[in-house]
């Protein structure tokens, strides 16, 4: 699987077929999510930087420069969503899930007290996030932490290293699960997490 570039204002191809995540995520959900929602964030970002001094900048620069600036709120929201989605696609793979291995398994044991505790805490955080947003596993001061961000907010502006994220905007699951967010999350963790990608983010 070739890695999606995280620092460009482009719509990446999905790293798997449109129906590859079924039955956890339907082809219909994935198609809307990628070719409508993600695509719109890319197009909006491109339009908002056109003719400004953001033009020609890489995505991470645009995100960091617009963060916290009310004059650039729309740009930040769209640019951060470009990044968050490019990251999210890679957090999943067909026949994923299960327990992580390698360095990550050791860190999960040390920082959460084991995989069961980690998955419980991650799902709980994502279930209770109010409204739209993302739940992340990040590396912060050499420790694993679970972080909730609302709307388009992203851990990179806080200097945290993102390792894993799940999208809990309704557009990520509503076609398949309606209001049953906890069911989407449980199956997402059990069947889809791409631990190879997560491990690769440890550097
Ligand atoms: Mn989304």
């Amino acid at each position: 699987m070739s890695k999606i570039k995280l620092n460009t204002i482009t719509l990446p191809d999905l790293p798997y077929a449109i129906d590859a995540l079924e039955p956890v995520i339907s082809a219909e959900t994935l198609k809307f999510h990628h070719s409508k929602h993600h695509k719109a964030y890319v197009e909006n970002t491109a339009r908002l930087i056109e003719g400004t001094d953001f033009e020609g900048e890489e995505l991470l620069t645009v995100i960091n420069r617009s963060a916290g600036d009310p004059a650039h709120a729309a740009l930040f929201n769209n640019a951060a969503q470009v990044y968050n989605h490019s990251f999210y696609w890679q957090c999943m793979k067909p026949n994923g899930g299960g327990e992580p291995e390698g360095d990550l398994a050791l860190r999960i044991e040390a920082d959460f007290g084991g995989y069961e505790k980690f998955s419980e805490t991650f799902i709980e955080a994502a279930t209770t996030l109010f409204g739209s947003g993302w739940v992340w596993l990040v590396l912060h001061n050499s420790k694993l932490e679970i972080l909730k961000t609302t709307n388009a907010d992203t851990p990179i502006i806080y200097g945290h290293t993102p390792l894993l994220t799940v999208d809990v905007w309704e557009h990520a699951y509503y076609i398949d699960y309606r209001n049953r967010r906890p069911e989407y999350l449980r199956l997402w963790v059990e069947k889809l997490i791409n631990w190879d990608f997560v491990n690769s983010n440890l550097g």
Side-chain angles (χ1 to χ4, degrees):
M1 173 180 118
S2 62
K3 272 202 161 188
I4 289 176
K5 291 192 179 78
L6 291 167
N7 201 11
T8 58
I9 303 165
T10 51
L11 183 69
D13 290 335
L14 290 172
Y16 29 70
I18 200 79
D19 60 356
L21 304 181
E22 290 194 341
V24 181
I25 294 178
S26 68
E28 188 185 5
T29 290
L30 207 52
K31 189 159 178 262
F32 267 84
H33 202 173
H34 176 255
S35 69
K36 301 280 186 200
H37 293 279
H38 194 181
K39 185 171 183 235
Y41 297 129
V42 172
E43 289 176 349
N44 290 340
T45 303
R47 180 173 46 78
L48 288 165
I49 63 174
E50 204 180 325
T52 73
D53 64 357
F54 288 94
E55 197 167 351
E57 296 284 11
E58 291 184 316
L59 180 61
L60 296 179
T61 307
V62 172
I63 292 169
N64 281 306
R65 276 185 56 199
S66 59
D69 182 349
H72 295 301
L75 177 57
F76 172 79
N77 285 337
N78 282 282
Q81 285 291 75
V82 173
Y83 175 90
N84 292 348
H85 283 88
S86 291
F87 197 90
Y88 170 68
W89 305 133
Q90 301 182 89
C91 291
M92 304 181 280
K93 68 170 187 180
N95 304 309
E99 297 199 18
E101 295 175 346
D103 188 18
L104 195 71
L106 300 175
R107 286 173 177 274
I108 283 178
E109 187 64 43
D111 296 338
F112 293 103
Y115 170 77
E116 289 302 323
K117 195 76 193 149
F118 157 76
S119 64
E120 238 172 67
T121 311
F122 187 83
I123 290 170
E124 176 68 13
T127 301
T128 58
L129 186 145
F130 191 76
S132 296
W134 302 80
V135 171
W136 305 79
L137 177 67
V138 300
L139 195 60
H140 179 218
N141 294 333
S142 304
K143 289 198 74 148
L144 298 184
E145 283 177 17
I146 289 169
L147 185 73
K148 298 185 192 191
T149 61
T150 56
N151 299 319
D153 203 13
T154 185
I156 57 174
I157 63 170
Y158 308 111
H160 298 184
T161 305
L163 304 176
L164 171 73
T165 194
V166 65
D167 189 342
V168 293
W169 283 58
E170 284 185 344
H171 67 223
Y173 61 87
Y174 214 83
I175 292 171
D176 299 330
Y177 296 91
R178 301 299 172 181
N179 61 331
R180 303 189 307 279
R181 189 195 284 187
E183 191 180 333
Y184 155 68
L185 293 167
R186 184 176 56 78
L187 292 168
W188 193 90
V189 167
E190 280 176 15
K191 313 267 192 202
L192 292 187
I193 292 181
N194 180 356
W195 288 116
D196 295 334
F197 175 68
V198 183
N199 249 313
S200 74
N201 293 321
L202 284 170

